[in-house]
Amino acid sequence: MKKISKVLALLLALTMVLSMAACGGSGSGSAAASSAKPAAAASSAKSEAPAAAASSAKSEAPAAAASSAKSEAPAAPADPSDPKAVAEAAGYDYTKVDTSDWINLDLSYAAFLPEGNPISDTLYYALAESCENLMPGYVNIELFAGGTLVGQQDMLEGIMTGVADVGMIDLGPVTSMLPVTAFWASGCLEASSCSALTAAMMEWLQNNYDLPEFENIVPLSCQGIIANQLCTTKQWSKLDDIKGMQCCVPGTYSEMLKAMGTVPVSMDTSELYEASRSGLVEGAFYTIGMNFLCGSQEFLKYVTVTGYGSSPYLVAMNKDVFNSMPPLQQEFMLEAGRQATWEIVLPKIVIIGDMFEPSIQCINDTDYTYFDLPQETRDAIGEVVAPLRQQYIDSVKGTNPEIEEQSQEILRLNEKWLDWFPLERFLAPVYAANEGKFAEWMVNVEENTKLPELLDIEGYVPLAKR
């Protein structure tokens, strides 16, 4: 069996060899033809499908990788010698910076208005809250209200000399010491609401920390005050109607009211009620709210907006105290002032500053009345104010030449923010009260007092956009 098997195997092998030799030529051609199509197909597959795949891979995956690499690549480190750059790179997050050289400060904060005044209190608490948020445990601020530490007239000097570490300054009395900043309080700027003035002044301040007149103080935040209104015994429509009218006028605005044709009368605010009751004065250049608080709305029952006359507040810090902090902590303190104004004061100011509810309710309930002036009269007031503005600039530029350029920048910012929060928006609750519909307006008070979206701000990015 083994031999037969070997023979069969040998025969089978010989048969296969012969068969392959017999068809060798045709087999070779057939193989070439057979391999031509697969080669073309392979070539096509290589040049089309894989190419497309490669193209897709090149255009999608690597692009995504590049995009990912671009978005995930760490930002260039901030220059450690530039404290502002370091603070901004850290997002003003104290946990992301070196605070080993930071110091603890117990600061006194002087306010001339009594505790409980909503405007004064908001300025103080806004700064204290912002300091605690940005530098927790490092800065404590104690309030001394009602002039208990420094009075209104001496506030700037008190801060400069260190009687108070921080204080709230009325710009009206400090023209000679802060002549450029006091341009905001000269009475020569068109004004209406606290909201617009606060935004305009803060944008200017935060870009002028190095102003020469800030040699001994550091500006931190501010608060606009609504423009004074002219409260009178009669309704009027043109300047000739008030010519010769005796008006109680704060000293800052005497020249402006004189240029409008009235006869300014200087007196203490506490005397206004009796002066208006007795007929000694027929008008007063005060706000709707102040006229109401004095009780003189009973006699000076007609109120209108002239569009001028506002004296904002400045919150400033003693320069030596500020300089006692290391540079990075100083940057955090400046940011605390900015956040105090933009994030806390400004959103609240519509209620606490622009709209004094009791006085508007009085308009709603009594014959205390607001009236609009014709546009030509408002234009005429602007014409008499313009020369006074130039007089102010001329009186200052001898010792403060920067007033020329700064006054133009102040006017630009003032116009920018007036467009953002126009007079009509400010007067909306007053118009409602004139029609006896103030209660209806107050039903949606949150919506009605919501600020428009902030414009782009040079030197500050709102927290909501960070």
Side-chain angles (χ1 to χ4, degrees), residues 75-78 82-99 102 134 328 332 466:
D82 184 349
K84 184 175 182 181
V86 172
E88 289 177 346
Y92 288 95
D93 182 345
Y94 78 101
T95 67
K96 297 179 179 179
V97 297
D98 180 8
T99 61
W102 284 21
L134 293 170
L328 185 58
F332 273 69
R466 296 186 187 183

Side-chain angles (χ1 to χ4, degrees), residues 291-330:
N291 190 39
F292 169 79
L293 289 173
C294 291
S296 43
Q297 90 285 346
E298 184 179 345
F299 313 104
L300 308 176
K301 59 182 64 178
Y302 296 99
V303 183
T304 193
V305 171
T306 65
Y308 294 89
S310 179
S311 183
Y313 299 135
L314 169 69
V315 175
M317 185 175 188
N318 175 275
K319 194 65 166 279
D320 290 337
V321 175
F322 180 82
N323 286 338
S324 69
M325 295 182 287
L328 185 58
Q329 190 176 6
Q330 292 176 8

Side-chain angles (χ1 to χ4, degrees), residues 245 341 453 464:
M245 178 184 286
T341 306
E453 183 178 353

Side-chain angles (χ1 to χ4, degrees), residues 192-193 196 417-427 452:
S192 57
S193 67
W417 291 99
L418 279 174
D419 289 342
W420 169 75
F421 200 95
L423 180 64
E424 295 72 23
R425 175 73 182 266
F426 162 64
L427 288 172

Side-chain angles (χ1 to χ4, degrees), residues 1 5 54 74 101 104-105 114 170 204 278 299 320 327 330 344 364 385 408:
M1 287 294 292
S5 297
D101 61 347
N104 295 320
L105 289 172
D170 180 359
W204 177 79
S278 65
F299 313 104
D320 290 337
Q330 292 176 8
I344 302 176
N364 188 89
V385 168
Q408 294 305 308

Side-chain angles (χ1 to χ4, degrees), residues 384-402:
V384 302
V385 168
L388 298 177
R389 182 163 55 238
Q390 190 56 50
Q391 285 178 25
Y392 182 92
I393 294 170
D394 291 342
S395 70
V396 170
K397 67 182 182 181
T399 53
N400 298 82
E402 63 273 14

Side-chain angles (χ1 to χ4, degrees), residues 264-275:
V265 177
S266 179
M267 64 176 63
D268 192 82
T269 303
S270 62
E271 301 176 271
L272 180 58
Y273 177 83
E274 182 57 30

Side-chain angles (χ1 to χ4, degrees), residues 324-345:
S324 69
M325 295 182 287
L328 185 58
Q329 190 176 6
Q330 292 176 8
E331 288 299 330
F332 273 69
M333 176 59 79
L334 293 175
E335 175 69 6
R338 292 189 290 264
Q339 288 192 20
T341 306
W342 293 110
E343 308 295 340
I344 302 176
V345 173

